[in-house]
Amino acid sequence: MIEYFIVSAELSLVGFIAVACLRSAPAHWRLWTAATGLVLALVPWSVLPAITVGGGFVAAPVLEALPLVPPPPGTGSSESTAVQAATTWEVPWFTVLAGALALGLLAFTLLVVRQRSSLRRWRQVARDGTYLVGDLPHKVRTKCDVRILPGSACAAATGVLNPTVWIGERYLDDPRLRSVLAHELLHVRRHHTILVMALSLSRCLFWWQPFAWLWVSLVRRELEHDCDEACAELLGYADYRATLASLIRDAVPQPSGLALVGRRSFNLRRIRSLGAAKVGRVRHRIALAIALCTVPLIAADVAVEPEGDRSREEILESITQVSEGAGRAGVFFSQGRSGLVGYSFNTTGLSALKSLSNRDPRPYYLHPDEAYSLDDIDMKVAGTYDEVARAVANELGLEARTGPTGVIVAEASSLAELDWIERAIVLSSIPARQVRMAMDLEVDGKVVRTPVDLVLGMSNWAGFDIGDCPISIIAERIDEAGADLEFRIEFGGLGTTWNRRVEFSSPTTVLMDGRVPCPDTHREYQWRTIAWHATVEPINGVNARR
């Protein structure tokens, strides 16, 4: 909401300066400039669809074709990243805006009902006065009703679809009747009654907007100036000025309706402005051109949103609150209109990058020589995915090159040439499908307890430990018929990797039934017998990006 008022104030300032520069221009120039300023100041630019502007490295085509490479050996359950969305509740400011507009609409409805009631009473007592238009210039005449109010001295024009000019009976014998009637008829001819209705609606809807009141008041004043100049051109400047001066002298403090005379100070300015006919000059056109060029620049602050151009302070403060008790896990906090995210990392470097890749739809390519020596990190960062990736890489002493098809993380010298990209560790985003796998594992004839109902698909891999044996399972591909899985078992730092296709229709799949090498405490290799069977079934209706 503060952003809305700031933009409104900036646009209003430009509009006020433009109107001031047009002080010697024809009144209708200022009128429509002020009307445009009113619209621009009231538009809630920040709720309009924003255009995100950004740039970055365009990854080589090879990135899209690279196969999935598993994480480095030794990954276990301590590196499984828990990604949690924040559950803070807040009322969007546009909801508050909608409530304020609803109250204003109710007030406008009551105002219309009240005015229609007053006009109905006027119509009951008024008589036809069409004959009064006969001696007026042809350019003043327009299609509308002219009604005479008995015992009244008011002059007003009302109505949108069926406009009516009301003339008080006391003006019938007044020599100023011709000027008064011409003024009100010109209000109708120049569609000022429609504009006044729109101004009333704006003032009611934006009753909480101070600039709305200022602009409505300014447009109403320029509307009178516009009508004065039109009347002066038709009836003569000297005669009309004299009539206006006498009306000011005899006016009551607060005339009713759309009266010819308003506040005394304003009407004195009306008389001074009728000293001579005004014409548009080059300087007036230059002022309007500058104003029109300035408006898009101001609106671009919210209509065009650079990547990450959002409040970091609020996100980082909230990250601190939700990261309490997060343990050694990357905690996903917030995602904004243009992909703005906030993270709190208190984990290893690899887990931090995996936490980010599980939310970012792009794969992350990590230099294989760096994956084994990423230090622990403890940091809070907010921004777009690109900004967070660069911040995490910088914390690890690396650099991140971001592009639409991938993010490459390596040392700065390794980014100059990508000859290592085919050996990169690929941290892919969360698969669209998930499977549940139950396993039976025997090591050297002894049954080993394994996780029950292990779910693959919440990440592209899962890891757990069984005694001294870390196991990693990679979900390379999950389709409608089954899953392509890659397995890795490590004994004493020596790992064995193999791939299996697991069909959903198969009751049980043999993942491994044989011997694998394992070094003992004396660094001498021995063979261990592994019997590993699994059952895999799909999880229907589950989307990893929920």
Side-chain angles (χ1 to χ4, degrees):
M1 182 64 76
I2 295 178
E3 182 184 36
Y4 168 73
F5 282 111
I6 292 176
V7 175
S8 179
E10 293 173 346
L11 292 173
S12 296
L13 178 60
V14 173
F16 291 146
I17 294 176
V19 172
C21 293
L22 298 176
R23 185 169 52 182
S24 59
H28 66 273
W29 287 39
R30 297 192 303 274
L31 172 62
W32 295 112
T33 301
T36 303
L38 170 63
V39 174
L40 294 177
L42 299 185
V43 170
W45 296 97
S46 57
V47 302
L48 298 179
I51 302 173
T52 304
V53 176
F57 165 75
V58 179
V62 69
L63 298 182
E64 298 180 348
L66 288 179
L68 176 67
V69 180
T75 56
S77 59
S78 62
E79 291 182 321
S80 298
T81 305
V83 182
Q84 303 174 351
T87 57
T88 56
W89 180 86
E90 62 178 12
V91 179
W93 80 266
F94 53 81
T95 302
V96 179
L97 174 62
L101 294 178
L103 291 177
L105 184 60
L106 177 61
F108 178 74
T109 303
L110 296 176
L111 180 64
V112 170
V113 171
R114 181 179 178 182
Q115 185 180 28
R116 287 180 63 87
S117 177
S118 299
L119 294 179
R120 190 180 301 111
R121 291 195 301 268
W122 282 12
R123 198 170 294 277
Q124 290 176 353
V125 299
R127 66 180 186 272
D128 183 57
T130 308
Y131 67 93
L132 299 176
V133 185
D135 61 340
L136 293 177
H138 181 72
K139 292 184 178 181
V140 175
R141 301 178 187 180
T142 185
K143 185 178 179 180
C144 69
D145 293 335
V146 179
R147 310 291 294 178
I148 300 175
L149 287 173
S152 175
C154 78
T158 61
V160 176
L161 299 178
N162 299 307
T164 303
V165 171
W166 307 90
I167 296 295
E169 190 177 37
R170 299 181 184 178
Y171 280 118
L172 296 183
D173 298 328
D174 194 318
R176 299 172 298 186
L177 173 62
R178 190 167 181 265
S179 297
V180 172
L181 185 57
H183 183 96
E184 302 304 331
L185 288 172
L186 280 173
H187 274 311
V188 176
R189 186 178 180 87
R190 300 173 82 86
H191 307 292
H192 288 171
T193 55
I194 300 176
L195 182 57
V196 168
M197 184 64 68
L199 293 177
S200 299
L201 177 61
S202 301
R203 186 175 59 182
C204 290
L205 291 179
F206 294 88
W207 54 270
W208 43 271
Q209 230 286 30
F211 296 104
W213 291 81
L214 292 175
W215 278 113
V216 167
S217 176
L218 181 60
V219 175
R220 287 291 298 266
R221 292 187 176 189
E222 295 304 331
L223 184 146
E224 292 297 332
H225 281 300
D226 180 38
C227 198
D228 284 340
E229 290 187 5
C231 284
E233 290 179 1
L234 294 173
L235 305 179
Y237 277 86
D239 293 341
Y240 187 76
R241 287 186 67 191
T243 300
L244 183 60
S246 63
L247 288 170
I248 293 173
R249 180 192 60 200
D250 300 338
V252 294
Q254 293 182 347
S256 59
L258 284 176
L260 175 65
V261 182
R263 292 185 178 180
R264 190 177 186 87
S265 59
F266 167 62
N267 286 294
L268 292 176
R269 288 196 299 271
R270 290 170 63 184
I271 296 175
R272 288 195 297 268
S273 67
L274 293 175
K278 297 181 175 62
V279 295
R281 302 186 184 278
V282 175
R283 65 175 183 272
H284 300 143
R285 291 179 171 84
I286 294 176
L288 285 178
I290 294 175
L292 291 176
C293 293
T294 306
V295 168
L297 298 178
I298 297 175
D301 289 340
V302 289
V304 178
E305 181 178 356
E307 286 187 352
D309 191 13
R310 299 288 295 277
S311 173
R312 267 63 167 174
E313 292 74 11
E314 294 181 2
I315 290 183
L316 291 176
E317 181 181 356
S318 302
I319 289 175
T320 305
Q321 298 173 0
V322 301
S323 62
E324 297 295 335
R328 302 188 60 76
V331 179
F332 172 74
F333 170 67
S334 173
Q335 181 169 356
R337 185 166 46 135
S338 62
L340 179 69
V341 292
Y343 269 93
S344 175
F345 295 105
N346 181 22
T347 181
T348 63
L350 178 62
S351 294
L353 292 175
K354 281 193 60 59
S355 174
L356 190 57
S357 70
N358 285 342
R359 284 289 174 174
D360 193 336
R362 301 169 297 179
Y364 280 58
Y365 300 90
L366 177 63
H367 196 293
D369 297 338
E370 305 294 341
Y372 299 92
S373 59
L374 295 182
D375 296 330
D376 290 0
I377 63 174
D378 185 0
M379 62 181 297
K380 297 184 292 290
V381 60
T384 62
Y385 290 127
D386 290 354
E387 291 172 333
V388 174
R390 288 193 289 266
V392 171
N394 182 69
E395 186 71 17
L396 298 171
L398 305 174
E399 290 191 10
R401 178 180 293 178
T402 60
T405 59
V407 177
I408 306 176
V409 181
E411 290 184 343
S413 58
S414 299
L415 292 178
E417 297 182 2
L418 299 180
D419 54 345
W420 53 269
I421 198 68
E422 294 183 357
R423 300 180 293 109
I425 302 297
V426 183
L427 307 178
S428 299
S429 56
I430 302 174
R433 293 187 175 94
Q434 299 176 5
V435 296
R436 179 178 287 110
M437 180 166 62
M439 297 177 293
D440 295 324
L441 177 63
E442 292 183 5
V443 179
D444 296 334
K446 181 180 180 180
V447 177
V448 178
R449 184 181 299 277
T450 58
V452 179
D453 289 342
L454 179 66
V455 175
L456 291 177
M458 289 299 295
S459 178
N460 69 310
W461 71 286
F464 58 93
D465 295 319
I466 50 173
D468 61 345
C469 177
I471 296 178
S472 296
I473 306 174
I474 312 299
E476 290 186 326
R477 181 170 177 264
I478 302 175
D479 54 31
E480 298 179 354
D484 295 328
L485 305 178
E486 183 173 297
F487 304 91
R488 182 181 181 87
I489 296 181
E490 181 183 354
F491 289 104
L494 180 64
T496 301
T497 302
W498 69 97
N499 298 83
R500 291 289 186 273
R501 170 68 179 181
V502 182
E503 302 289 344
F504 296 144
S505 59
S506 176
T508 303
T509 300
V510 178
L511 303 179
M512 179 65 183
D513 192 357
R515 297 191 306 166
V516 297
C518 175
D520 58 17
T521 57
H522 300 288
R523 295 295 178 182
E524 296 180 359
Y525 288 97
Q526 62 179 358
W527 294 90
R528 306 187 69 170
T529 302
I530 301 295
W532 194 4
H533 305 80
T535 300
V536 178
E537 62 179 6
I539 301 178
N540 296 327
V542 177
N543 191 316
R545 298 189 185 279
R546 62 186 182 276

